[in-house]
């Protein structure tokens, strides 16, 4: 937190600067949106080992398409999609979709980074890159909604105009009574608000609580009518002022929106920011936050609650994906063949080119494209994705069957089973309630424990061959089966002492609650935090004109606090300084601008460098960080020689070590190239 | 007989001891009528023919001599005396008269002045077969200057938090700020049943309750402190005129569920009916709960609880207008050369001499006002003598006081039977025994 004070002053000065230009423009600004295409939790694990959550099909359409359609229909003209886990897949999907056609009314920018670990990181990046100019809509990539937010937007803008940017966020909530099917108990909130101004006074999750506590001081706000509401479904759509991104930067301990809301409410008196609520009575807005929600949203979709986003609308505008709609909410794609005696009872959606055998009974189910289903199959609340083969005499109830799964004859899937990608089950086996089968071995995970807190969506890749070594257990998946059982019953929700429908997975298998502030895991993160802190310290040093010895003192104390080696200190210091112009001005700087910005900084911080860079090895460390930095920024190679020269002139680096680095350091092709670069060579000869 | 009326008139007036030193609160004159006349009148207008009055011996004695009580109240008053300083609360008092209670009861406090349409409260009680229905109103800001309290800081009133459901009728939560140091705590199950709770502050409990007979029986059966016997939900009334408060039982207690005679029939009717008190889930009406409390909140119209000096002064100004009092009692003797404002009220047997001026004031029975006296914005009780040339402004003068010749009193409170020296000059002072 050492850098906190300094950062706040920075952002406030930045704000006032921005405001002057922003005020008149604000009206004409196109509406922007930030779409976070990562859940940062693992509720859909292990399905999301193969496909990011945003791309999972819901009613045969990827979830992110619903979100983008919602944004576009509310008038968003520019959307920033932030991807982390499997970013390339999402990118590929979007590039193919109608959103990236030149005619799209909503310009989609895709921003990917492996570094995002929470919503907080995304918004900090939004701030760092100065992407948003005005109020923006913040949603997740798994929100399905048809809510009209224009009124909320108007209210939000009005509030901001009336009292000078006090209201930073308007959350959209839908009225629905507790226990409603589309409410997720995990997400249940209790909100205390001012009846008249709709201002949120208190906000917290209710899961696991018996009594709800409200501090008395929230009722001192001068009003005498308050409301405590438990009938709200959080749509996870929020209208944010540009300050939201800045506030995330100022408070780098904010990870989730929940942290943010609580932080704002607790610090209301200090910071003076307020959060409001817009409650809508009609419309549909739900986040598909776990498999149970997946079930209820899918069935709502088929029952046309999300109109006009209905399956036959084919709003993604893909060729050959249209389907017909007939009585009892039965939808048939083109090329569907239905065997003799098969019945589609009600609420059934069948994708294109799927063939269904004879005497099947299908109700409340969604079946994807190119599936084959045998004879005498009974499907109820089944969600069958694409390219699935189901043999004859199969019974599936309330289960999810992912792409390319093969279900052999005589298999029964009891409630809440999940068959992840490429699994083969059967023949003649009955999976007990809540079975999860995946081609990935559950133990793979232990190898990646470090990443576990990360998201849904931890790295898998390389360990594939290892899983092959472990044999499939025929008792679990059938004689010809392929796949491993995952913690059975982790999705089980039937046990509930109150006998009230409970809409969430049991928690014991989920140590990584996304709402708990994530404690950075050892090592790797200490370095990162240290880097942040150094950056904060240098920034503050600039602003408050702190003497170099004090800076050194501070960096030293940080070094001990985070247990950083001297080598790392030098490297981090170098990279922080070299990154600094980008950090402040964004990545679009030209080399000339970059040099112009960097040289005065180097001069200023030269004493700090000299304090650390003393031995020959230190010089080499410094140079290797220098090299690393420019390897990443290959467009800025022209600037490199000037920077290097400057560092030499400031006596940060010595001639001898530069020469030594030049002659021996090259280990990879690219670094060799870097040395061959014209500028460096001339620089070298100049030395 | 559907409801029995009970008037609680034993309160001592602990928040305005200066006034009640010699006169019990129930008998304090407001617009030249004893305070308890107002709730009695309310009940009478409602059509009650009989009232059980719980009071003290002293009040009973005064009632028997008070002409107003005899003439104006036609109902049969069944006066029950309780010990004067026995620190009895409403609950204790109700226990005391349990033998007399045959049906559900309507309890009124003697300090309530209101013109509420009482049927609103009773209708809630009937419609929902409620355990309790009560009356509340918006708290008043008292604008009149209070004698003897210049510069005295008003003790910051502790606010009551009242939680009602979406309809604004069902009472879900009630607590005083003083009891909420650790924050307001609500059980989740209540929020599940009533997901939208309105919390209101700035309301006062008018101390008018409709109660099921079962509650009285329950109180009588549990002689110890009922607070400990069940998970009570307390309507706390700190500093209230009622020394201990009525404990209301929000949570089912087996003994409270003793059903009355026609209860099974009511239950059947409820089961067969498709009517429901809530929406949003499929559970039965009232979620199967047996105990329910309702509240009628008066949005407008006067509703005062005369339990402080400020409220007493305010009531004196407004009550006569409310009840269209005759300004001058026929038996009063008023000199023709007296200037009297239209908003002044003169009681029976008064003697008002020449060259006096009386504005915005109430003058009680058998009071003598001599020549050249100016009275403005004041309340003068019974049997007071005001000698020549006095100037009295913004003051309250209790019964049988004597104000010496030429005294100048501004914003003073003169206690019962006190004497003010001639030519005395006094501002912002209390003369109490």
């Amino acid at each position: 937190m050492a850098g906190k004070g300094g950062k706040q002053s920075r952002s406030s000065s930045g704000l006032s600067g921005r405001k002057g230009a922003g005020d008149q423009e604000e009206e004409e600004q196109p509406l922007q949106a930030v779409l976070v295409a990562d859940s940062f939790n693992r509720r859909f694990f292990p399905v999301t080992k193969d496909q990011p959550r945003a791309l999972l099909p819901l009613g045969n359409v990827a979830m992110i398409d619903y979100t983008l359609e919602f944004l576009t229909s509310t008038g968003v003209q520019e959307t920033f999609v932030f991807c982390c886990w499997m970013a390339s897949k999402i990118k590929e999907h979007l590039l193919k979709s109608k959103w990236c056609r030149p005619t799209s009314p909503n310009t989609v920018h895709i921003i990917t980074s492996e570094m995002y670990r929470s919503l907080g990181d995304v918004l900090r990046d939004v701030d760092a890159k100065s992407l948003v100019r005005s109020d923006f809509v913040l949603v997740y990539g798994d929100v399905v909604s048809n809510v009209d937010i224009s009124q909320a937007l108007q209210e939000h803008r009005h509030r901001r105009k009336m009292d000078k940017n006090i209201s930073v966020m308007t959350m959209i909530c839908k009225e629905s009574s507790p226990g409603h099917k589309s409410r997720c108990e995990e997400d249940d909130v209790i909100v205390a608000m001012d009846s008249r101004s709709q201002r949120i006074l208190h906000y917290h999750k209710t899961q696991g609580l018996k009594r709800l506590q409200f501090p008395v001081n929230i009722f001192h706000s001068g009003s005498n009518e308050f409301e405590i509401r438990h009938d709200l479904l959080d749509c996870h759509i929020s209208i944010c002022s540009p300050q939201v991104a800045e506030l995330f930067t100022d408070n780098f301990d904010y990870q989730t929106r929940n942290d943010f809301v609580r932080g704002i409410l607790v610090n209301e008196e200090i910071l003076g920011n307020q959060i409001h609520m817009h409650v809508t009575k009609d419309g549909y807005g739900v986040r598909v936050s776990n498999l149970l929600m997946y079930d209820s949203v899918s069935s709502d979709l088929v029952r046309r609650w999300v109109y006009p986003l209905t399956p036959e609308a084919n709003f993604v505008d893909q060729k050959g994906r249209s389907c017909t709609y007939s009585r009892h909410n039965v939808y048939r794609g083109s090329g569907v063949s239905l065997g003799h005696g098969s019945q589609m009872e009600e609420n059934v959606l069948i994708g294109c080119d799927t063939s269904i055998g004879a005497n099947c009974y299908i109700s409340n189910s969604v079946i994807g494209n190119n599936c084959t289903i045998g004879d005498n199959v009974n499907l109820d609340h089944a969600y069958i994705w694409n390219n699935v083969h189901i043999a004859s005499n199969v019974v599936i109830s309330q289960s999810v069957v992912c792409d390319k799964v093969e279900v052999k004859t005589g298999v029964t899937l009891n409630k809440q089973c999940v068959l992840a990608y490429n699994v083969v089950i059967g023949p003649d086996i009955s999976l007990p309630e809540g079975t999860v089968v995946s081609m990935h071995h559950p133990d793979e995970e232990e190898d990646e424990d470090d990443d576990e807190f990360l998201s849904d969506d931890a790295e898998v890749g390389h360990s594939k061959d290892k899983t092959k070594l472990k044999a499939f257990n025929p008792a679990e998946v059938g004689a010809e089966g392929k796949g491993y059982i995952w913690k059975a019953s982790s999705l089980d929700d039937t046990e509930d002492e109150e006998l009230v429908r409970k809409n969430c997975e049991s928690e014991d298998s989920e140590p990584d609650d996304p709402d708990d502030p994530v404690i950075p895991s050892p090592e790797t993160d200490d370095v990162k935090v240290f880097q942040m802190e150094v950056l904060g310290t240098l920034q503050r040093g600039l602003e408050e004109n702190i003497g170099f010895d004090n800076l050194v003192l501070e960096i030293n104390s940080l070094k001990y606090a985070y247990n950083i080696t001297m080598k790392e200190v030098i490297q981090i210091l170098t990279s922080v300084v070299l990154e600094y112009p980008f950090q402040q001005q964004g990545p679009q700087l030209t080399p000339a601008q970059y040099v112009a910005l960097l040289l005065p900084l180097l001069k200023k911080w030269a004493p700090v460098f000299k304090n650390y860079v003393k031995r020959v090895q230190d010089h080499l460390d410094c140079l290797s960080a220098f090299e690393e930095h420019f390897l990443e920024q290959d467009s800025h190679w022209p600037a490199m020689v000037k920077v290097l020269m400057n560092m030499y002139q400031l006596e940060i680096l010595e001639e001898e070590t530069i020469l030594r680095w030049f002659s021996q350091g090259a280990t990879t092709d690219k670094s060799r190239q870097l040395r061959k670069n014209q500028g460096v060579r001339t620089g070298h000869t100049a030395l | 007989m559907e409801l029995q009326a009970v008037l609680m008139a034993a309160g001592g007036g602990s928040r305005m001891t200066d006034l009640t030193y010699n006169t019990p609160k129930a008998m304090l004159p407001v617009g030249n009528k004893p305070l308890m006349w107002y709730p009695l009148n309310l009940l009478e207008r409602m059509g009650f023919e009989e009232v059980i009055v719980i009071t003290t011996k002293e009040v009973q004695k005064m009632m028997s001599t008070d002409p107003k009580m005899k003439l104006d109240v036609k109902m049969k008053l069944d006066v029950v005396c309780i010990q004067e300083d026995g620190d009895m609360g409403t609950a204790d008092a109700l226990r005391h008269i349990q033998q007399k209670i045959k049906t559900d009861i309507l309890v009124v406090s003697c300090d309530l002045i209101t013109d509420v349409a009482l049927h609103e409260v009773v209708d809630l009680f009937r419609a929902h077969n409620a355990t309790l229905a009560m009356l509340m109103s918006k708290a008043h800001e008292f604008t009149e200057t209070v004698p003897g309290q210049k510069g005295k800081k008003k003790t910051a009133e502790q606010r009551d938090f009242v939680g009602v459901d979406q309809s604004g009728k069902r009472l879900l939560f009630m607590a005083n700020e003083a009891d909420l140091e650790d924050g307001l705590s609500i059980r989740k199950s209540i929020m599940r049943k009533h997901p939208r709770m309105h919390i209101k502050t700035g309301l006062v409990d008018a101390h008018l309750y409709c109660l099921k007979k079962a509650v009285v029986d329950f109180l009588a059966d549990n002689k110890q402190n009922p607070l400990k016997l069940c998970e009570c939900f307390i309507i706390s009334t700190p500093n209230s005129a009622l020394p201990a408060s009525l404990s209301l039982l929000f949570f089912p207690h087996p003994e409270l569920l003793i059903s009355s005679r026609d209860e099974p029939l009511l239950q059947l009717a409820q089961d067969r009916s498709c009517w429901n008190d809530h929406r949003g889930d499929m559970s039965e009406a009232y979620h199967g709960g047996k105990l329910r409390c309702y509240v009628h909140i008066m949005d407008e119209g006067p509703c005062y609880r005369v339990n402080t000096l400020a409220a007493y002064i305010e009531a004196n100004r407004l009550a006569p207008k409310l009840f269209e009092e005759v300004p001058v009692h026929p038996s009063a003797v008023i000199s023709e050369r007296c200037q009297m404002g239209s908003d002044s009220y003169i009681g029976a047997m008064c003697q008002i001499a020449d060259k006096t001026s009386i504005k915005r004031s109430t003058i009680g029975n058998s009071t003598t006002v001599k020549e050249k006296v100016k009275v403005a914005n004041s309340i003068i009780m019974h049997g007071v003598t005001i000698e020549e040339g006095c100037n009295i402004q913004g003051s309250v003068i209790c019964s049988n006081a004597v104000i010496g010749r030429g005294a100048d009193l501004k914003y003073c409170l003169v206690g019962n039977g006190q004497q003010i020296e001639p030519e005395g000059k006094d501002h912002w002072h209390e003369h109490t025994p």
Side-chain angles (χ1 to χ4, degrees), chain A residues 10 18 32 80-83 109-116 121-133 245-246 249 582-588:
Chain A
R10 176 190 70 83
R18 217 173 287 182
Q32 294 175 305
F80 299 99
V81 179
F82 286 85
C83 319
H109 305 279
I110 304 159
I111 296 162
T112 63
S113 167
E114 298 281 307
M115 302 301 283
Y116 302 142
D121 291 338
V122 169
L123 285 168
R124 278 184 274 278
D125 203 36
V126 168
D127 185 41
K129 295 193 163 104
S130 311
L131 295 176
V132 294
R133 295 179 294 268
E246 287 160 21
T249 311
F582 293 119
Q583 179 78 26
Q584 298 298 299
Q585 306 291 333
Q588 68 283 357

Side-chain angles (χ1 to χ4, degrees), chain A residues 70-195:
Chain A
F70 156 71
L71 291 174
T72 310
S73 63
T74 53
V76 172
Q77 295 179 33
E78 193 177 11
T79 307
F80 299 99
V81 179
F82 286 85
C83 319
C84 176
W85 167 240
M86 292 203 167
S88 54
K89 280 200 174 188
I90 299 176
K91 197 166 178 176
E92 192 189 345
H93 173 88
L94 290 176
L95 289 175
K96 273 195 295 185
S97 72
K98 72 165 182 178
W99 313 110
C100 287
R101 291 179 200 164
T103 51
S104 169
N106 183 359
T107 320
V108 173
H109 305 279
I110 304 159
I111 296 162
T112 63
S113 167
E114 298 281 307
M115 302 301 283
Y116 302 142
R117 308 203 145 194
S118 66
L119 178 72
D121 291 338
V122 169
L123 285 168
R124 278 184 274 278
D125 203 36
V126 168
D127 185 41
K129 295 193 163 104
S130 311
L131 295 176
V132 294
R133 295 179 294 268
S134 173
D135 296 329
F136 63 97
V137 183
L138 176 67
V139 285
Y140 280 99
D142 45 14
V143 168
V144 176
S145 169
N146 63 2
V147 175
D148 180 12
I149 63 161
S150 54
Q151 200 201 338
L153 198 64
Q154 236 168 17
E155 284 172 15
H156 179 80
R157 285 182 173 148
H158 179 72
R159 270 195 290 268
R160 288 226 300 139
K161 223 176 195 172
M162 294 314 283
D163 24 70
K164 291 287 169 236
N165 299 332
I166 281 181
S167 174
V168 290
M169 188 188 258
T170 301
M171 296 162 80
I172 313 267
C173 282
K174 188 180 137 33
E175 227 178 77
S176 67
S177 20
H180 188 272
K181 201 161 73 90
S182 61
R183 266 176 75 151
C184 169
E185 185 149 321
E186 263 181 329
D187 269 347
D188 264 1
V189 289
I190 187 110
V191 179
M193 57 196 238
D194 188 316
S195 301

Side-chain angles (χ1 to χ4, degrees), chain A residues 59-61 310-324 331-334 349-354 368-370 386-387:
Chain A
N60 294 341
V61 172
T310 52
E312 88 277 14
N314 189 22
F315 62 86
V316 285
D317 202 18
Q318 274 175 308
K319 277 207 180 109
R321 285 279 180 265
S322 59
C323 59
T324 59
Y331 307 81
R332 294 172 69 153
S334 59
L349 166 59
I350 299 180
C352 302
D353 301 316
T354 287
N369 305 315
N370 300 315
N386 301 319
N387 303 312

Side-chain angles (χ1 to χ4, degrees), chain A residues 314-351:
Chain A
N314 189 22
F315 62 86
V316 285
D317 202 18
Q318 274 175 308
K319 277 207 180 109
R321 285 279 180 265
S322 59
C323 59
T324 59
Y325 167 56
S326 47
R327 256 156 45 114
H328 306 304
N329 297 329
V330 173
Y331 307 81
R332 294 172 69 153
S334 59
V336 167
S337 72
L338 192 64
H340 181 74
S342 284
Q343 271 186 59
M344 293 191 282
E345 186 68 6
E346 53 172 1
N347 307 316
V348 177
L349 166 59
I350 299 180

